[in-house]
Amino acid sequence: MEDQPTVGAVIEQIGPRLRRAREQRNVSLAAVARATGVSTSTLSRLESGQRKPGLELLLPITAALGIGLDEIVAAPRVVDPRVPRGSTGDGGRLLIPLSRHPGEPRAYKMIIPAGDEDPFPRAHDGHEWLYVLRGRLRVRLGDHDFVMGAGEAAEFDCRIPHWFGATGRGGVEILSLFGAHGERIHVRASSPRDVSAADRSGTRRGFAPP
């Protein structure tokens, strides 16, 4: 399925479509204002995209122009929600993006192999939330050193030096949400241990999310 217009893209087209429909009918802004009770300045701002196109404006305007609302507002078509497969590796670790949007926060799944146990704390801007899917995760966060198991979650300020790796016989899989500008997740860890567990899934040794 190919990508289709987003809601934002559809809204951006409303103003130009209104102007085009009005001009094709040789109707002035003043005439539309008299028929709808909407000021000419509001109509002008609406056509130029400077005014939000709410239904309270669009319904009387389209009625005055004698056109259907669907001629002005084309509903956005469904976008394929699947995230393209892809991953990056570093020192045996695998980082798999789970979101395609370029904004933040960004979501990742990380797979860390057994034996990756050499702490190398790092610090950088941002805030991170992580959740352990499988295995046991050793975390270093500032002066804290602890282990998280499957089902445990944590969040923390990435400016605190941190590192995490697999501990035990097997590897570990985790989910991570990272905001480079300090965005916080609204589900917080419930205990001091979990807060420490706040090692972020992308700041692992030598591997920060792109």
Side-chain angles (χ1 to χ4, degrees), residues 1-7 9-10 75-84 100-102:
M1 185 187 304
E2 296 182 355
D3 287 356
Q4 303 296 342
T6 63
V7 172
V10 171
R77 290 166 287 179
V78 177
V79 175
D80 187 344
R82 293 172 295 181
V83 177
R100 64 192 302 172
H101 194 275

Side-chain angles (χ1 to χ4, degrees), residues 39-52:
S39 69
T40 55
S41 62
T42 296
L43 291 171
S44 178
R45 290 167 55 211
L46 183 62
E47 289 187 352
S48 65
Q50 298 177 33
R51 175 66 184 265
K52 184 177 180 180

Side-chain angles (χ1 to χ4, degrees), residues 35-134:
T36 62
V38 179
S39 69
T40 55
S41 62
T42 296
L43 291 171
S44 178
R45 290 167 55 211
L46 183 62
E47 289 187 352
S48 65
Q50 298 177 33
R51 175 66 184 265
K52 184 177 180 180
L55 285 177
E56 73 281 359
L57 293 176
L58 295 180
L59 290 176
I61 293 172
T62 53
L65 293 175
I67 58 177
L69 185 63
D70 58 346
E71 295 182 48
I72 301 300
V73 184
R77 290 166 287 179
V78 177
V79 175
D80 187 344
R82 293 172 295 181
V83 177
R85 291 185 178 181
S87 62
T88 54
D90 176 61
R93 299 187 179 205
L94 191 65
L95 188 68
I96 305 170
L98 299 179
S99 54
R100 64 192 302 172
H101 194 275
E104 306 208 350
R106 290 171 286 172
Y108 301 91
K109 176 180 179 180
M110 184 180 292
I111 302 174
I112 306 173
D116 190 348
E117 302 176 346
D118 183 20
F120 192 86
R122 299 178 59 207
H124 53 82
D125 291 335
H127 197 85
E128 186 166 11
W129 172 91
L130 64 84
Y131 178 83
V132 181
L133 294 170
R134 178 185 64 83

